Amino acid sequence: MTIVVCTDHGTPLPHRDLLTSEVTAVAELCTNPSGFSDADITDLEALILHDGEYDLGFIQGAIRGFGVDPLGIPIVTLNDTATTEQLTVLAAGVVARHRAFRGARPEHAKMQWPTLMSRRRLFALGVPQYIGAPSIDPTLCTAEHGCRLCVEACPVSALESVSGNVAYNVDTCVACGICITTCPTGATVNPTATEEQIAAQIQAMIATSEHPVGIEFRCRDANPAPLEDGWYPLEVPCTGMLTIGWLLAPLVLGAGAVAAPSCGTTGCSIGNDDILATHLSDASSMLGELGVSARHVLDEGQGAVPEPLRDVDSPSV
């Protein structure tokens, strides 16, 4: 089991003795995914790469060369040079997320074309990349009994009620995840962002860090930001999918604080900011009713991370 780190820009390696995986360094991996072939890698679990240096389509092609589903391999994208401690905590989290991945089916892979960002990426325009998309389990869906929650919540009208069923248009879908957290029966699932994966990642990061951990939920398409002391990013399809329960879950699991930047501040094009703002406000209000300071729920992961909450019951949401 292996974590692979692109060591360009002087990136240090995580502490191996604090991880349950091997750590392999590969120079120039971001710009040359063929470097995989020269490395001693078994059972690839996660990657640590650099923002603006790699093309996801090429990386996913190299991952498939290991006989592994690329949708199940988390990628940590660094904006700057992280410390050894930060990389260790991040690595522990994404490995736990990988191990909680239950597998995906062909319908969960949504193809998209990369956006031209530089001259070097010109040659990548012909290489498709894939993101995780939802599917609907008809055995769990209650549309025949009148449920329309996912249809009404979808911001791009990718879902439609047809003859007692929910029709799904994968081409229209932006894979934002709102239908997943709206569905009351668990019929809608994106296997790349399940509750089990999120909880496993949070718990692993908290267990690995010697200091209070702040969890910053970030949109899949957000521009990576420098790591603030004590704050760690956790990728979701879009922060607009975060319910009050999802926002408060890190605190219940032992994090000192949780943050969820809006699409507008991170460069995500999906734009579910109004939904997120409402849920952040409601989560803060709920903490206030429990006598807990609002500094534990923020709209941006900055500042000192407070100590974890003690003896606060999980809210009913």
Side-chain angles (χ1 to χ4, degrees), residues 15-26:
H15 285 298
R16 290 178 171 86
D17 56 342
L18 296 179
L19 300 171
T20 58
S21 300
E22 294 296 322
V23 178
T24 297
V26 180

Side-chain angles (χ1 to χ4, degrees), residues 95-277:
V95 165
R97 182 170 183 148
H98 165 75
R99 293 179 183 178
F101 178 67
R102 300 295 184 184
R105 300 190 300 273
E107 62 265 31
H108 292 128
K110 176 178 170 62
M111 186 180 73
Q112 62 179 21
W113 297 100
T115 301
L116 180 62
M117 300 295 291
S118 66
R119 291 181 181 178
R120 188 184 65 78
R121 290 194 172 193
L122 178 63
F123 295 101
L125 288 179
V127 180
Q129 56 194 38
Y130 295 87
I131 59 174
S135 65
I136 302 173
D137 184 345
T139 65
L140 297 177
C141 180
T142 56
E144 63 179 334
H145 300 298
C147 182
R148 300 290 184 273
L149 292 177
C150 64
V151 174
E152 296 168 359
C154 180
V156 294
S157 301
L159 300 172
E160 182 182 4
S161 179
V162 179
S163 303
N165 295 297
V166 174
Y168 169 53
N169 187 330
V170 68
D171 295 325
T172 303
C173 177
V174 293
C176 68
I178 288 179
C179 60
I180 297 168
T181 52
T182 300
C183 179
T185 64
T188 307
V189 176
N190 181 337
T192 67
T194 64
E195 293 181 13
E196 292 77 14
Q197 288 171 297
I198 301 303
Q201 185 172 357
I202 292 170
Q203 290 172 314
M205 289 193 289
I206 292 171
T208 305
S209 177
E210 297 179 354
H211 308 287
V213 168
I215 300 296
E216 183 179 87
F217 287 108
R218 295 185 67 82
C219 298
R220 175 191 62 240
D221 296 332
N223 298 319
L227 297 175
E228 297 282 340
D229 287 343
W231 286 95
Y232 294 95
L234 192 157
E235 182 180 297
V236 292
C238 179
T239 53
M241 73 176 286
L242 301 173
T243 63
I244 301 172
W246 276 54
L247 286 167
L248 296 182
L251 303 182
V252 176
L253 293 172
V258 61
S262 65
C263 299
T265 61
T266 63
C268 172
S269 61
I270 296 178
N272 289 318
D273 293 354
D274 291 344
I275 299 172
L276 173 63

Side-chain angles (χ1 to χ4, degrees), residues 47-118:
L47 298 174
I48 298 178
L49 305 176
H50 299 279
D51 179 39
E53 300 266 331
Y54 71 93
D55 295 299
L56 183 59
F58 284 128
I59 290 291
Q60 289 179 331
I63 291 173
R64 281 191 288 271
F66 290 97
V68 177
D69 183 351
L71 293 181
I73 302 297
I75 298 176
V76 174
T77 305
L78 298 178
N79 175 274
D80 57 358
T81 300
T83 66
T84 299
E85 179 183 358
Q86 289 173 326
L87 285 174
T88 303
V89 173
L90 286 169
V94 290
V95 165
R97 182 170 183 148
H98 165 75
R99 293 179 183 178
F101 178 67
R102 300 295 184 184
R105 300 190 300 273
E107 62 265 31
H108 292 128
K110 176 178 170 62
M111 186 180 73
Q112 62 179 21
W113 297 100
T115 301
L116 180 62
M117 300 295 291
S118 66

